[in-house]
Structures are given as C-alpha cells and as structure tokens.
Amino acid sequence: MDIAWSVFTPWHSLAGGLLIGLAASLLLLANGQIAGISGILGNLLQRTGLQNWRVAFVAGLILAPLLLLPLLPATGPFRPSVPVAEPMDILRLLAGGFLVGLGTRMANGCTSGHGVCGLARFSPRSLAAVLTFMLAGFATVFIWRETWGLPL
C-alpha cells in the first residue's frame, strides 16, 4: 500500500482546509487582499515599495512549518529523513519549479489564488483555471505511471 493512503486522516485534512479558508478570509476582510501566493510573492519582489503584510505572509509560510517541526514525532510519514539529492532529482525539481512558475503566469494566478479564493468568489476564470490545473495533474500522473510504471 502506498504510504500516502495508509496515513490519510480526514479530520486532519478537514482541519487544515478550514484553517486555510479562515486565513484567506481574514486576509480578505482585514486587508482587502486575495491570498494568492504567486501574486503576493511576485508583488513583493517588484520595486513598488516594501509592503509589510506581504513580508509577514511570506515569512509565515516559511517559518510556520519550521516552528511546528519540534511538535512532530521523531519518525513517521510526517517527518521523513532527507536523503542527499541526486543530480537527476535536482533537475526534476528545477524543471518542475519552472513549469509551475510558467503555469502560474499563464493562468494569472496559482492554485491558492484561483482554487481557494477565486472559487469562493464564484469567479468563472478561476473555475476554468482550477479545472485546467486538475486535468493537467491527472494527465501528468497517468502518463508518468503508464510510461515509466513508477509512483510519483
């Protein structure tokens, strides 16, 4: 059995989804901003003046998992050992990162902006983007497994 399915916990998933929705709602209500990661990060790097809320948002994305790490069990699926990356793994990582970045530019947003915030606002553009993301993901997994017979 694949480890991802053997440790699936619907209550943890539900709690995570509720927290993401709550955070996105609070950012929209308190700041009038959409919680789209690519837009927040992209505008943070532009020379339009530093906006503290963007810095805080990105810092939270980076620091929250690091702060929670001591609370996780010493072993298990949520605390995997990190082997030394092989050159092919690094190339796959770079290619994947490039393709994700290209996709977010083509879709004018990422899965968080379109999937969480856009769908919640009933945006037709976000619905089209999310359907495209999902279909491309399904096709990629299918082709990967059928071509090489390997799990992702």
Side-chain angles (χ1 to χ4, degrees):
M1 180 185 289
D2 189 24
I3 193 164
W5 291 109
S6 66
V7 295
F8 175 68
T9 56
W11 294 112
H12 291 136
S13 302
L14 178 63
L18 289 172
L19 287 172
I20 290 170
L22 177 64
S25 298
L26 287 175
L27 183 63
L28 184 61
L29 291 172
N31 221 14
Q33 301 294 326
I34 301 295
I37 310 305
S38 62
I40 291 171
L41 186 60
N43 289 327
L44 174 70
L45 300 176
Q46 290 181 353
R47 296 179 189 222
T48 58
L50 198 58
Q51 297 173 350
N52 291 337
W53 74 269
R54 292 182 195 276
V55 173
F57 191 94
V58 173
L61 289 176
I62 296 167
L63 294 176
L66 297 176
L67 293 173
L68 291 175
L69 196 60
L71 301 177
L72 296 175
T75 60
F78 298 109
R79 187 143 187 176
S81 61
V82 180
V84 176
E86 295 181 20
M88 189 58 177
D89 292 337
I90 293 171
L91 288 176
R92 285 175 51 189
L93 180 66
L94 291 173
F98 173 77
L99 291 173
V100 167
L102 180 64
T104 59
R105 293 307 287 170
M106 290 174 64
N108 290 323
C110 58
T111 53
S112 57
H114 284 302
V116 175
C117 301
L119 291 180
R121 293 180 298 120
F122 301 109
S123 166
R125 187 179 81 162
S126 290
L127 178 60
V130 169
L131 289 174
T132 302
F133 297 156
M134 295 302 292
L135 291 173
F138 296 151
T140 300
V141 170
F142 177 78
I143 292 169
W144 184 266
R145 288 188 175 168
E146 291 301 314
T147 304
W148 289 288
L150 300 171
L152 288 175

